Amino acid sequence: MKTAICYYSRHHGNTRKVLEAMAEVGEIDLIDVTTRQAVRLEHYDCIGFASGIYGFTFQKAVVEFARQYLPCGKPVFFVYTYGGAKGSGAKVVQEIAREKNCPVLGEFSCKGYDTFGPFKLTGGIAKGHPDEQDLEHARRFYLTLMEHENRGVQK
Ligand SMILES: Cc1cc2nc3c(=O)[nH]c(=O)nc-3n(C[C@H](O)[C@H](O)[C@H](O)COP(=O)(O)O)c2cc1C
């Protein structure tokens, strides 16, 4: 199962840390949506979209990437990190997946160190996250996802 995860991670690289943990246990290409101008996602079995939560939602560039490049019918999953209030989380990319008839395999989220705005004055929130336990949950999430997908393919 070859997977691509298209992501945006800038604040503290929290989301990227989670994705790197997943990439340790699977065949995953990590695609930074700010550096890749174009991509062919048809060649992958499964696509992830990942972002920090900024202003209660996914970063715009990831959403636009999904709108432009996600092939119809391709299985997808979502990953995000947030400081304390995830708001609508992955809802906007879920909506794009629905419009493109893409089966949604699941969603993983965890806290990520946040020093945005006033939080900076007090040393930030969700300090130390993602921590080793978060990363282990992320690895397990991906492995479970792949187990289900492989079982589906074998049927
Ligand atoms: C501009 C900005 C806006 C943010 N908005 C939210 C928010 O609405 N809710 C929340 O829980 N965290 C918010 N955060 C915190 C980030 O979601 C959190 O730190 C996340 O782990 C950042 O991911 P990254 O390091 O991969 O960029 C915000 C951070 C920044 C810089």
Side-chain angles (χ1 to χ4, degrees):
M1 280 279 161
K2 201 163 161 50
T3 300
I5 306 182
C6 310
Y7 74 94
Y8 180 98
S9 176
R10 278 297 172 283
H11 188 36
H12 288 287
N14 297 326
T15 312
R16 168 95 198 180
K17 281 178 204 155
V18 170
L19 302 182
E20 282 172 356
M22 289 183 183
E24 285 166 14
V25 296
E27 200 186 349
I28 300 178
D29 286 343
L30 298 181
I31 298 172
D32 182 337
V33 299
T34 64
T35 57
R36 284 292 283 272
Q37 297 304 309
V39 72
R40 292 188 65 88
L41 297 179
E42 291 83 359
H43 305 306
Y44 293 92
D45 301 304
C46 177
I47 312 295
F49 290 98
S51 175
I53 294 294
Y54 314 98
F56 307 108
T57 189
F58 262 46
Q59 212 273 344
K60 235 190 210 155
V62 180
V63 178
E64 287 314 311
F65 214 75
R67 215 186 295 282
Q68 194 168 355
Y69 297 114
L70 175 62
C72 291
K74 191 68 83 178
V76 287
F77 65 94
F78 309 113
V79 179
Y80 56 90
T81 65
Y82 60 98
K86 57 181 153 183
S88 59
K91 196 170 172 209
V92 61
V93 270
Q94 275 166 3
E95 189 58 28
I96 292 170
R98 199 186 57 78
E99 284 164 16
K100 297 192 180 210
N101 293 316
C102 295
V104 176
L105 305 181
E107 175 176 307
F108 177 84
S109 66
C110 69
K111 295 255 173 106
Y113 181 44
D114 178 7
T115 54
F116 178 57
F119 295 130
K120 197 173 184 174
L121 303 173
T122 53
I125 57 171
K127 272 187 213 166
H129 290 277
D131 61 12
E132 189 41 51
Q133 196 178 28
D134 296 323
L135 299 182
E136 189 48 33
H137 287 157
R139 290 184 197 100
R140 247 182 279 152
F141 164 82
Y142 183 73
L143 288 172
T144 306
L145 213 78
M146 287 302 109
E147 263 172 42
H148 285 155
E149 272 301 278
N150 284 328
R151 238 176 274 154
V153 167
Q154 279 161 18
K155 265 185 207 159

